[in-house]
Amino acid sequence: MAYLSASNLTKMMLDFLKDGGNEVWRNNNLAVRGRAFIGRKGVPDIIGYNKKYGYFVCCEIKAIGDRMSADQMVFLEELSMAGGTAMLCQQVRDETIQVKIYKDGENENWIFKNGRLNKAE
């Protein structure tokens, strides 16, 4: 597998989450030149909800070299503790795509391979 862009990782996770019964969309949270930022800092790249159970679902995307901000980490942890499911999807230097899932104040590491998530060993 080659390195993927943030856009490709986002599309991959959108497809995966939709296939899993979630209504999700890309969250465009970009700064506008000449205008003060008025949104919530740290809101992930993908947001939505589970269609069957109604809980909030989100996923932060990080390509090679990208780092989580403190605001992004706080958002994922707070959502997890409030009953939602928060994810961090990132590709690492060996081309592995890791997904950290935060739920109920806990987190688990998974590996995305061949279109499936497998628990990391």
Side-chain angles (χ1 to χ4, degrees):
M1 173 185 290
Y3 291 122
L4 299 177
S5 67
S7 181
N8 288 340
L9 288 169
T10 300
K11 181 178 180 342
M12 179 192 78
M13 286 305 293
L14 280 167
D15 291 344
F16 176 78
L17 290 167
K18 286 177 181 177
D19 289 346
N22 300 288
E23 181 67 33
V24 291
W25 56 91
R26 186 183 305 244
N27 179 43
N28 294 322
N29 198 9
L30 301 175
V32 176
R33 180 176 260 182
R35 217 181 323 161
F37 180 79
I38 57 172
R40 161 87 193 253
K41 289 185 177 182
V43 177
D45 300 304
I46 297 171
I47 60 175
Y49 58 91
N50 180 275
K51 290 194 273 189
K52 185 173 182 180
Y53 299 106
Y55 58 81
F56 193 84
V57 175
C58 71
C59 184
E60 180 63 38
I61 304 293
K62 293 296 176 194
I64 296 288
D66 289 344
R67 294 181 185 218
M68 292 273 287
S69 72
D71 291 323
Q72 290 169 329
M73 195 70 229
V74 166
F75 191 99
L76 296 182
E77 289 175 355
E78 287 180 348
L79 176 66
S80 162
M81 291 173 24
T85 298
M87 299 176 195
L88 167 62
C89 174
Q90 61 185 357
Q91 191 168 29
V92 293
R93 299 250 177 249
D94 69 356
E95 299 183 7
T96 301
I97 299 173
Q98 298 176 342
V99 179
K100 184 172 278 199
I101 300 175
Y102 301 82
K103 183 114 174 106
D104 299 325
E106 304 288 325
N107 66 69
E108 294 180 340
N109 292 314
W110 295 73
I111 303 293
F112 198 90
K113 195 171 190 177
N114 300 324
R116 299 185 66 163
L117 271 180
N118 300 299
K119 193 155 183 147
E121 298 170 10

